Amino acid sequence: MRALGRREMLGAAGVAACGLAAAGCSGGAQAGGPAPGIKGKVIAKTSEVPVGGGKIIQKWKIVVTQPTAGVYKAFSAACPHKGCAVGSPRDGVMTCPCHGSQFDAATGKCLKGPADAPLPAYSVKVEGDGIVIL
């Protein structure tokens, strides 16, 4: 077995560091579902989410939007690029303040990078005047 050269050692160290950085930057983007204990809970009131706008729920890092009257959507507010919290929608777009990634407020689809994945979506329903995570 031959000894690794300086470039190979640096390359291996870089790969390991990138892997750790990627794991650490997930920032809680909940691809597997909502935070434990949130299912069935009212996360916002319908009156708090304007048509064409949204509300960030800091406690769970979720953004709730109302792209059209009476239609409510919920997404992880953690940008899949580095985990920064996206801003509330403006003109149907949520923008990450850290690096400028943009997401569609109706679908969570990534419209502009550097992020290359959508915001994970959560199923919601309206119960009375509350928006509930399913």
Side-chain angles (χ1 to χ4, degrees), residues 9-21:
M9 291 296 285
L10 288 174
V15 168
C18 286
L20 289 173

Side-chain angles (χ1 to χ4, degrees), residues 12 25 29 33 42-43 53 57 61 68 75 77 79 85 88 99-101 109 117-118 123 133:
C25 287
V42 173
I43 60 166
I57 314 301
K61 211 168 187 182
T68 57
F75 306 96
C79 178
S88 291
H99 301 102
S101 294
K109 177 183 175 185
S123 297
I133 294 281

Side-chain angles (χ1 to χ4, degrees), residues 29-133:
Q30 301 136 341
I38 193 173
K39 286 186 177 187
K41 291 191 178 186
V42 173
I43 60 166
K45 300 286 186 188
T46 55
S47 61
E48 299 171 330
V49 184
V51 176
K55 175 182 173 116
I56 304 290
I57 314 301
Q58 295 293 337
K59 182 176 180 178
W60 293 295
K61 211 168 187 182
I62 292 174
V63 58
V64 180
T65 68
Q66 187 180 185
T68 57
V71 176
Y72 296 90
K73 305 285 183 159
F75 306 96
S76 169
C79 178
H81 176 239
K82 294 281 185 181
C84 296
V86 298
S88 291
R90 291 186 122 177
D91 299 320
V93 175
M94 296 173 284
T95 302
C96 178
C98 293
H99 301 102
S101 294
Q102 295 183 333
F103 303 90
D104 185 283
T107 65
K109 177 183 175 185
C110 183
L111 302 173
K112 176 184 168 201
D116 60 2
L119 296 174
Y122 302 129
S123 297
V124 295
K125 69 177 178 177
V126 175
E127 287 183 356
D129 66 346
I131 301 167
V132 177
I133 294 281

